Amino acid sequence: MNTRVKRLALPIGGAIAATSMIGATLVTSANAATAPQKKVVSLASASGAQKISNFWTANGGANLKAAASFEGSQQVSGKVKLGGGDAAPDGKAGVVPPIGQEKVTPTKVKNVNLPKTIGKVFFTVGDKEYWCSASSVQSKYHNLVATAGHCVFDEGVQNGALDNWVFIPGYYQGKSPWGIYVGKAAYTHYDFAVYEDYDSDYAFVTVYNGIAYAGEKAVSKTTYDGWQGYKFIDKQEISETEYNKLVDEFGIENAPVTTESSTAETVLPWGTKDGTRARKEVTKDEYDKAASVPKNQNYHQSHRVEKVIVSEAEYNAYTGPGYKKIEDHAYTITHYYLSYWVKKSSTTKYFKLAYVIEYYKDAGRLGDNVGGQGFTWNQKVGQPVYAFGYPAGKHPDGDQPFTGVTPKWCYGKTFAAAAAAKFKAEAQIGLKCSMTAGSSGGPWILKYSSTKRLGYINGVTSLIGDADGNGRIDFATSPYFDAETYSIYKSAANLWSGSIVTKDGDLVTKA
């Protein structure tokens, strides 16, 4: 049995009282229980954020495209009995309204439009790139992301957090329509970060202002050499006179120029006076045809034929012009050479160099660009929710119906769940859902309005599994959001992040 004290009461003076400012009107009682211990880790300083953004944007977003859905160990194995568990309110219910909806009550519609707030979080584990699902959520500075704790925290690595952490709302095949948001600091319950108690498998991450691609520009070689993002050298051919002029102006060491020398060969008639004799390897057919060619033609048969014995592996790997044959259980390759006359000449080309970097602009605050879901806690179990995510993993039977390219959703009523003792999951809520790995961290949204694409985050996908043992994922779980969750959310929701882009469009170089 888990020994930590759970469900610390934190009454807010109203079952459905909405507030318009985090930390201002969500007032706790003087008799409220002590807030739970939270775990806070720094994900990146401003200069560190530059390196992280460069890691994901370099080479046309190659690392983003290489990322795989994060499976970890969050898939419950074997047949599972759902229901039961200790998920229950620890006080009065409370809500924080979505961004832009502080004074508006969402309405229901029949169609399901996907929320703009959802996206993928990318990070690295060792030398591998992975992603989870996540959502923008309401906060004082419009800079907060809600996701699963296991998509941020890992006590097995230095600092206790996963590396190179970014959030990209609306991510699609290497594209970031609203920018890339580098994580600044992450908050979770101490029991999850230290003891891997999945009853608290949630995280709230403050992010810097987004960065968005702004174009390319030529810079000095010094700036180019120190640039850690995507860069390239553009070469423009110029005349020798222009080359010499630039060398005179900047000096041979600093001039933005280079040369390329090459040797050209011109094949001459056989025996040409000012030519030299050369030789090349040809196929057996070409060699046989050259036997009847007169010496006044360009090519003449040479008496150079070489047969070598090689290993079976070398024989199978060889793809050159030589003749391959197995003789007396030996692997042989015969090489044929023709002689010809050639004139060689050297040429030099001159180039002017431009040192080009990709630079970025400040995309603004996350919540200003995509909005932010509301937040709610101590809600009654059994209410209908939408769960969103980017599933991509296989079902236990090997079928892979999802690609992870576009978000999917599940809908249904939650139920109390104690899904797996292995994860200390004694007080979670469950939902019938077929989304596979990759959906971890995706938001569970209560009272979702498809017209406004907003509602109230009431959980995040934590565990998935196959309850009936038929080889198909059929349920997902989430931590139950109670007053402890709200307390940790509130701590993160009041912190400012700032920008990592300077006024002239460069990423900052100092913390």
Side-chain angles (χ1 to χ4, degrees), residues 56-88:
W56 294 111
T57 58
N59 301 317
N63 287 331
L64 290 173
K65 297 173 185 176
S69 59
F70 188 53
E71 298 188 19
S73 60
Q74 282 70 48
Q75 185 165 305
V76 179
S77 61
K79 193 171 182 178
V80 179
K81 182 179 180 181
L82 297 174
D86 301 324

Side-chain angles (χ1 to χ4, degrees), residues 294-480:
K295 284 191 176 182
N296 63 353
Q297 300 297 312
N298 290 355
Y299 294 96
H300 181 67
Q301 184 183 28
S302 167
H303 296 294
R304 183 74 179 272
V305 178
E306 296 178 350
K307 179 185 288 188
V308 294
I309 298 176
V310 297
S311 67
E312 182 180 1
E314 291 173 317
Y315 182 90
N316 292 331
Y318 180 74
T319 58
Y323 180 67
K324 297 166 63 176
K325 187 176 181 181
I326 301 175
E327 299 178 341
D328 298 327
H329 306 289
Y331 297 91
T332 67
I333 301 176
T334 304
H335 300 279
Y336 299 87
Y337 299 91
L338 288 180
S339 295
Y340 61 102
W341 289 79
V342 67
K343 181 179 181 180
K344 296 183 179 181
S345 59
S346 297
T347 58
T348 300
K349 291 184 177 181
Y350 303 89
F351 297 91
K352 180 180 179 180
L353 303 179
Y355 300 97
V356 183
I357 64 169
E358 280 189 353
Y359 70 106
Y360 291 81
K361 64 182 179 181
D362 188 319
R365 301 187 303 181
L366 172 63
D368 295 340
N369 292 324
V370 301
Q373 298 297 330
F375 183 79
T376 185
W377 65 99
N378 275 339
Q379 292 292 332
K380 182 180 178 181
V381 178
Q383 297 187 72
V385 299
Y386 283 93
F388 297 95
Y390 289 82
K394 295 180 179 180
H395 283 287
D397 65 6
D399 183 37
Q400 189 172 7
F402 305 114
T403 64
V405 174
T406 56
K408 303 297 180 181
W409 56 273
C410 295
Y411 176 78
K413 291 184 178 181
T414 62
F415 51 84
K422 170 185 175 182
F423 297 98
K424 307 180 180 70
E426 303 163 355
Q428 291 194 325
I429 55 176
L431 179 69
K432 291 182 179 181
C433 185
S434 63
M435 289 195 293
T436 57
S439 59
S440 286
W444 291 26
I445 304 181
L446 183 70
K447 299 185 185 302
Y448 181 69
S449 167
S450 193
T451 54
K452 298 177 178 64
R453 302 178 188 244
L454 294 171
Y456 303 86
I457 292 182
N458 191 40
V460 291
T461 299
S462 172
L463 302 171
I464 58 174
D466 173 14
D468 56 15
N470 70 345
R472 309 289 293 182
I473 298 297
D474 54 22
F475 77 89
T477 69
S478 165
Y480 178 80

